[in-house]
Amino acid sequence: MSRAGSRVGMDRARRPGPTVRTRVREYGEGTERSREDRLATEEPLEIRMTWPGSPPQRVWVTMRTPGHDFELAAGFCCHEGMAAPSSIHGIAYCTDVDLTPEQELNVVTVTLTEATDIGHRHTGLSVGSSACGVCGKDSVTAVLDTVRLAGSTTTWAGPLPSPDVVRRLPALLREGQAVFGRTGGVHAAGLFTAEGRCLVVREDVGRHNAVDKVTGARVLAGESPAEACLVVSGRAGFELVQKAVAAGVGALVAVGAPSSLAVSLAEEAGLAVYGFTREDRTVRYA
């Protein structure tokens, strides 16, 4: 089975789209009108994992924008240290007989070539952020230990973007935000070279999902997720720095602000972090 799974044709034919139509009433200064609008689609995605001798196990449920589901699953598993890119044998939508057709498109199974430890945080029905730990120091240590043990990728050792390039990156990311342009309701993440060349852009209602999709796109294409710069459309929270470190990128550029714990993790891991980035200004925090 290929990494893209054996049901890509069904994925394209039946998967819900990233946006849905709706009717709204718009009120202005002394005006009122009815018109059509578009909303970003939001549906649950359940990720399961299996390997030789093990039945599929549910490891995560997230609310996401349908599209690039296999990339999301691959990126999530790599970021969480549950799978090395080379160990992903295939990804497919679930075909359990007790699932409705709609449910099938909201459940994906990642098949590995060898056993893995999914960890206590991913047993049973887990929903929410991928940030771990109960205090700052424990969280940073846990993330770094997970990355070291997983050994799923190499750390970027090439050049980093100059401040001049960094300031241009949000505008370049915006060029790939088609769903945001139609709805205004999704986040985006993009991978860029040190010179500012865009490699991949993904959008999702969840900022962490967008980053998972970016890494997953590289992994499923047989490319390394480690690159000069990851750009995100919102703030640089701890969970995004965690994923950037796990992917091995050299710098994280955010339109918004970083958090204190995000900066602490970045400093420990050697990740450059920029915030409040726009064409005329950026601030380096780590």
Side-chain angles (χ1 to χ4, degrees):
M1 179 169 57
S2 69
R3 287 190 176 188
S6 60
R7 305 187 68 197
V8 175
M10 186 195 74
D11 174 24
R12 291 173 177 167
R14 295 169 53 195
R15 184 184 62 206
T19 68
V20 295
R21 292 187 178 94
T22 187
R23 297 296 302 182
V24 300
R25 295 197 69 80
E26 182 177 314
Y27 300 91
E29 235 179 87
T31 65
E32 176 182 340
R33 69 182 179 119
S34 176
R35 64 175 177 85
E36 182 181 271
D37 202 351
R38 282 190 173 268
L39 300 173
T41 307
E42 183 175 28
E43 292 191 351
L45 180 71
E46 178 180 322
I47 300 173
R48 300 178 181 179
M49 297 187 73
T50 185
W51 52 86
S54 173
Q57 302 180 54
R58 177 170 49 198
V59 297
W60 199 245
V61 176
T62 187
M63 301 303 295
R64 99 304 190 186
T65 297
H68 306 292
D69 291 338
F70 297 164
E71 295 176 358
L72 195 165
F76 173 81
C77 292
C78 292
H79 287 154
E80 294 296 321
M82 294 185 289
S86 60
S87 71
I88 298 177
H89 176 64
I91 305 176
Y93 287 107
C94 184
T95 56
D96 287 358
V97 295
D98 60 341
L99 294 179
T100 67
E102 292 77 14
Q103 288 175 319
E104 288 181 12
L105 296 177
N106 285 335
V107 181
V108 297
T109 301
V110 180
T111 300
L112 305 181
T113 58
E114 56 189 7
T116 187
D117 179 11
I118 63 175
H120 72 280
R121 292 194 299 117
H122 303 293
T123 55
L125 179 59
S126 300
V127 183
S129 168
S130 60
C132 62
V134 294
C135 73
K137 183 177 179 181
D138 289 343
S139 296
V140 171
T141 300
V143 170
L144 294 177
D145 287 346
T146 296
V147 172
R148 294 188 188 105
L149 290 173
S152 59
T153 188
T154 57
T155 300
W156 177 250
L160 297 180
S162 68
D164 288 342
V165 172
V166 168
R167 290 197 304 270
R168 292 192 288 112
L169 291 175
L172 295 175
L173 178 70
R174 181 66 180 84
E175 293 177 2
Q177 294 179 245
V179 179
F180 178 82
R182 298 163 72 187
T183 67
V186 292
H187 295 280
L191 198 64
F192 290 80
T193 67
E195 298 74 31
R197 180 168 63 89
C198 180
L199 301 176
V200 58
V201 173
R202 292 291 183 263
E203 296 178 275
D204 200 279
V205 289
R207 56 172 59 89
H208 53 291
N209 292 338
V211 176
D212 286 339
K213 288 179 178 180
V214 166
T215 290
R218 298 286 286 179
V219 168
L220 295 185
E223 303 286 348
S224 171
E227 190 44 73
C229 190
L230 177 68
V231 185
V232 295
S233 61
R235 65 182 182 85
F238 176 78
E239 72 280 4
L240 297 193
V241 171
Q242 171 190 346
K243 292 177 185 293
V245 170
V249 300
L252 176 65
V253 175
V255 172
S259 67
S260 62
L261 192 55
V263 172
S264 294
L265 174 57
E267 290 175 340
E268 287 289 334
L271 173 74
V273 172
Y274 292 86
F276 293 111
T277 305
R278 55 180 187 259
E279 291 184 358
D280 64 342
R281 176 178 179 255
T282 188
V283 180
R284 182 164 179 172
Y285 290 85

